[in-house]
Amino acid sequence: RRILKYNPKSVAGRIGLAASHLKKGQLPQAIAEYKQLSHLPQIRLLLVRLLLVQNMQLPEIARDWREIQILLDQAKEAGDRPTEVVLLQAETLALQGQIDDARHVIEHARTSQTDRLEFLIALANLAEKSGEQSQAALWMGQALAAVGNDQDAEIGRAHV
């Protein structure tokens, strides 16, 4: 707060104040501080996560997904951590009950980023949420196989 008193535009001061609010469990105040920094790529996706948490604490009728979608669109356009943007987009859809749309978002991203374990794990989680245990096991098995293949390749490179 002292930094912001002397320099209200201080990014470090605003981040510090927002983090302090989070530590105290003051989610709305933290979000308000982070919103002032939403133009920064490193803050944008954090803000999306916090807004998701806030939305889930509200009754379904009071939830507002527009701001989250705007931030995700901005992040996608700016090229902010593409894998994380896809996962947050899918999580947003899943939290709205749109499991099939969430799955489609991840599957579409996998066509261009086939090596991302995060997508396989997210697909397994979505399948589990929708009660598709066998499909969840299949996705998780693929993820574990991919990890095993990566480890085998590392061991092979180490022996060369």
Side-chain angles (χ1 to χ4, degrees):
R1 288 181 197 240
R2 269 185 265 141
I3 293 172
L4 291 175
K5 181 179 177 182
Y6 297 106
N7 182 3
K9 294 183 181 184
S10 169
V11 171
R14 189 118 356 247
I15 290 172
L17 182 57
S20 172
H21 285 308
L22 276 181
K23 284 181 183 178
K24 295 176 187 174
Q26 300 169 333
L27 185 60
Q29 294 89 334
I31 287 172
E33 295 300 329
Y34 282 128
K35 280 182 180 182
Q36 296 179 53
L37 302 172
S38 66
H39 61 283
L40 300 173
Q42 64 270 32
I43 299 298
R44 203 172 2 243
L45 297 178
L46 171 62
L47 182 56
V48 166
R49 279 192 202 83
L50 295 175
L51 288 168
L52 286 172
V53 169
Q54 183 179 50
N55 255 3
M56 296 314 295
Q57 292 175 351
L58 298 171
E60 192 171 337
I61 196 161
R63 295 176 186 162
D64 185 4
W65 304 99
R66 290 174 297 185
E67 186 172 13
I68 293 168
Q69 191 56 55
I70 289 168
L71 288 167
L72 287 170
D73 289 344
Q74 290 171 352
K76 186 175 182 179
E77 187 177 309
D80 300 351
R81 300 187 301 253
T83 300
E84 195 172 345
V85 171
V86 167
L87 293 172
L88 285 169
Q89 180 68 51
E91 183 178 351
T92 300
L93 290 166
L95 290 172
Q96 294 175 72
Q98 300 173 28
I99 302 291
D100 289 337
D101 291 340
R103 186 178 299 122
H104 176 73
V105 165
I106 296 169
E107 288 173 345
H108 179 72
R110 279 192 69 224
T111 61
S112 62
Q113 300 177 52
T114 56
D115 63 334
R116 301 306 306 207
L117 289 175
E118 298 94 324
F119 293 155
L120 292 171
I121 293 167
L123 286 167
N125 288 335
L126 285 173
E128 192 171 50
K129 283 181 186 177
S130 60
E132 301 171 34
Q133 301 307 323
S134 61
Q135 184 63 45
L138 180 67
W139 287 122
M140 197 54 84
Q142 286 184 26
L144 292 171
V147 168
N149 290 341
D150 287 349
Q151 288 175 344
D152 291 344
E154 281 294 319
I155 291 169
R157 281 192 291 274
H159 287 201
V160 172

